[in-house]
């Protein structure tokens, strides 16, 4: 299928309708950026952004329910499929803070608008200029002044125009480079890579949220390893997480390759990958500091901390310090999910950080799951109230440790997980303690 045929087939109905309305009002109508890139790459676009020469004011009079979105000329137009974003062709003026342009200018033609975009693969559009006739999808053409389609086919990520200037205008583009390179399996073209190396220091001006969002974007890619390696090699990791950079210097190749490695069951588990990414750092406080600086949600911090604690139990289990049942219990206590024990072990094995004993431990954990051995207090066939009744004593601080002991007994097959057996064992254990 030709590229144009692919786009004609892919444009959603409501977007085509919107393009038709823009054209009927005499305006240019294009889909632009990610949607064109994704379609040419054979993927389904996440969003369909439109570009036109109509100014935001003209858009709002042509579409009465349009909503003004931002000062960069983007307007949201509600359609049957939700709100579509339409942006007026624009040029960005220079930036004094390496984050956003100081001023913007609206333009009459798509080419100027494409020139402000970051990478050639993101600087393509499909549609019709102003004053066109006929259906804008059926008669639409691809506008690709910077050779984005050829770069995509050749596996190259290349900045539009002068790479250094593009990164000085907006330092986020350097992190985006690593994200797109890893998502589409592209090599960062040498002049683009050289400019990042030179200007990497500018990412220090970015907000933690924007940095964190790009890291997330890399970690959800099918294969995040090249993106992480690029961050490191281009000097970006040293800026956004110096401690991680320092820890990586020694062991980068093995570490990075293991994150989301094919065959790992955790391949699309971004939190697990985040924990794996930071696993080289031994100090929990430093990990927390990095995640906080990236403005990650509290839930993410907790999840990563739980995974790290479970990982330490796994290491102890591999050294023979604790057995599989205790390990499962310790893991479940941290995360609330007994299956995490096996998950943790698989992760360690995939990351090449497990001793041969880990495979045995994994098999034991899997068998424990099959046999439905309890891992949480709630899995026991008797609850605290029943145990108190069986022992006939005042409730108190003694109950929880006793239940935990019972859990160990059951997990090791020494006591059956039945109410009467548990009550009998509880009596004995309680006697012994007194
Ligand atoms: P995704 O699939 O991640 O949404 P995308 O390419 O659609 O990828 P967006 O951030 O949604 O990325 O931006 C849409 C388009 O706007 C991009 O394709 C690119 O042309 C342009 N763009 C976005 N951010 C920048 C930037 N920081 N600098 C230059 N152009 C940008
Ligand atoms: Mg997008």
């Amino acid at each position: 299928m030709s590229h144009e045929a692919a786009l004609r087939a892919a444009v959603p109905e409501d977007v085509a309708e919107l393009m038709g309305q823009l054209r009927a009002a005499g305006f240019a109508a294009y889909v632009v950026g990610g949607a064109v890139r994704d379609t040419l790459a054979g993927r389904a676009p996440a969003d369909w952004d439109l570009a036109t020469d109509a100014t935001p004011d003209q858009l709002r009079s042509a579409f009465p329910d349009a909503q003004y979105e931002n000062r960069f000329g983007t307007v949201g137009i509600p359609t049957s499929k939700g709100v579509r974003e339409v942006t007026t062709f624009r040029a960005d003026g220079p930036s004094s803070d390496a984050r956003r342009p100081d001023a913007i200018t609206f333009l009459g033609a798509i080419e100027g608008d494409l020139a402000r975009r970051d990478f050639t693969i993101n600087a393509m559009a499909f549609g019709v200029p102003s004053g066109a006739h006929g259906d804008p999808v059926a008669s639409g053409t691809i506008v690709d002044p910077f050779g984005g389609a050829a770069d995509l086919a050749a596996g190259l990520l290349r900045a539009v125009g002068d790479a250094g200037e593009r990164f000085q205008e907006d330092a986020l583009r350097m992190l985006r480079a690593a994200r797109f390179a890893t998502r589409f399996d592209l090599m960062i073209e040498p002049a683009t890579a050289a400019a990042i190396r030179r200007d990497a220091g500018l990412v220090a001006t970015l907000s933690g949220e924007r940095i964190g969002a790009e890291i997330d974007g890399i970690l959800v890619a099918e294969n995040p390893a090249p993106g992480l390696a690029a961050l490191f090699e281009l000097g970006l990791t040293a800026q956004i997480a110096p401690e991680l950079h320092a820890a990586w210097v020694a062991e980068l190749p093995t570490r990075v390759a293991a994150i989301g490695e094919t065959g790992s069951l955790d391949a699309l588990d971004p939190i697990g990958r985040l924990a794996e990414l930071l696993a080289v750092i031994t100090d929990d406080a430093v990990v927390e500091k990095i995640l906080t600086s990236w403005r990650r949600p509290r839930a993410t911090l907790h999840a990563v901390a739980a995974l790290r604690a479970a990982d330490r139990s796994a290491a102890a289990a591999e050294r023979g310090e604790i057995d599989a049942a205790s390990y499962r219990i310790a893991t479940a206590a941290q995360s609330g999910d007994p299956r995490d024990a096996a998950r943790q072990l698989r992760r360690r094995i995939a990351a090449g950080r497990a001793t041969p004993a880990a495979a045995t431990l994994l098999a034991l954990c899997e068998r424990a799951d099959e046999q439905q051995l309890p891992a949480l207090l709630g899995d026991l066939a008797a609850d605290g109230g029943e145990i108190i009744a069986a022992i006939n004593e005042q409730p108190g601080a003694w109950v929880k440790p006793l239940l935990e002991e019972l859990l160990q007994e059951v997990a090791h097959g020494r006591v059956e997980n039945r109410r009467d057996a548990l009550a009998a064992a509880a009596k004995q254990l309680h006697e012994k303690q007194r």
Side-chain angles (χ1 to χ4, degrees), residues 180-220:
F180 290 119
T182 217
R183 168 139 49 122
F184 294 99
D185 194 17
L186 308 174
M187 191 191 109
I188 302 180
E189 173 273 329
T192 303
I196 297 178
R197 256 189 216 103
R198 196 177 55 230
D199 292 332
L202 291 177
V203 296
T205 62
L206 297 170
S207 75
E209 273 96 341
R210 298 181 86 195
I211 294 172
E214 292 301 324
I215 300 287
D216 277 359
I218 291 173
L219 292 176
V220 298

Side-chain angles (χ1 to χ4, degrees), residues 16-355:
E17 197 179 317
L18 201 50
M19 290 171 77
Q21 289 168 315
L22 284 167
R23 190 210 55 82
F27 298 119
Y30 291 94
V31 294
V32 68
V36 179
R37 175 202 64 213
D38 291 353
T39 305
L40 297 201
R43 304 192 186 193
D47 42 36
W48 289 83
D49 297 326
L50 290 100
T52 182
D53 59 342
T55 63
D57 289 339
Q58 287 173 320
L59 283 172
R60 275 179 301 166
S61 38
F63 300 91
D65 45 1
Q67 306 142 17
Y68 186 65
E69 302 234 319
N70 62 33
R71 68 182 185 94
F72 298 120
T74 300
V75 158
I77 300 183
T79 74
S80 56
K81 297 272 175 59
V83 175
R84 299 293 187 182
E85 296 202 330
V86 186
T87 305
T88 307
F89 299 152
R90 68 165 213 248
D92 293 338
S95 168
S96 45
D97 62 1
R99 283 193 282 188
R100 55 183 88 78
D102 299 332
I104 61 165
T105 322
F106 293 136
L107 302 174
I110 183 76
E111 285 77 7
D113 183 80
L114 295 175
R116 74 170 167 89
R117 294 172 186 267
D118 46 7
F119 302 106
T120 63
I121 62 164
N122 287 345
M124 297 184 274
F126 169 78
V128 293
S130 60
H133 296 282
D135 177 69
V137 174
S139 63
T141 55
I142 291 179
V143 186
D144 178 16
F146 304 102
D151 281 346
L152 189 59
L156 283 179
L157 186 81
R158 183 196 309 271
V160 167
D162 183 276
E165 277 173 28
R166 310 330 303 276
F167 298 135
Q168 278 148 31
E169 287 161 0
D170 178 1
L172 189 74
R173 293 171 181 163
M174 295 189 267
L175 300 177
R176 285 170 59 88
R179 171 159 67 90
F180 290 119
T182 217
R183 168 139 49 122
F184 294 99
D185 194 17
L186 308 174
M187 191 191 109
I188 302 180
E189 173 273 329
T192 303
I196 297 178
R197 256 189 216 103
R198 196 177 55 230
D199 292 332
L202 291 177
V203 296
T205 62
L206 297 170
S207 75
E209 273 96 341
R210 298 181 86 195
I211 294 172
E214 292 301 324
I215 300 287
D216 277 359
I218 291 173
L219 292 176
V220 298
E222 200 174 327
N223 179 14
L228 296 170
L231 286 183
F232 177 82
E233 281 152 16
L234 298 174
L236 294 166
T237 314
Q239 297 294 327
I240 60 178
E243 301 90 343
L244 181 59
H245 180 84
W248 264 3
V249 167
E251 33 173 339
L252 180 80
T254 47
R255 306 288 325 183
V256 159
I259 298 168
E261 195 173 61
T262 350
S264 151
L265 291 184
D266 305 319
L268 285 175
D269 164 12
I271 300 268
R273 286 176 168 188
L274 193 57
E276 192 60 55
L277 173 68
L278 299 170
V280 264
I281 298 173
T282 45
D283 188 343
D284 286 343
V286 171
V287 168
E288 195 178 324
K289 186 191 132 207
I290 292 174
L291 292 174
T292 306
S293 79
W294 292 346
R295 302 282 185 280
R296 294 302 83 197
R298 288 229 63 86
T300 301
L301 267 70
H302 288 311
V304 169
L307 287 172
R308 289 172 64 84
D311 222 31
R312 278 194 283 268
S313 307
E318 283 161 31
R319 289 193 301 269
E321 288 164 21
I322 60 175
D323 58 283
S326 313
Y327 170 59
R328 284 181 79 252
I329 291 166
T331 307
Q334 270 134 16
S335 66
D337 183 352
R339 283 163 313 192
D340 271 358
R343 217 162 65 99
Q344 278 302 309
L345 283 166
R346 278 190 209 100
R347 191 195 312 285
R348 290 179 66 80
I349 293 168
R353 287 187 298 115
T355 61

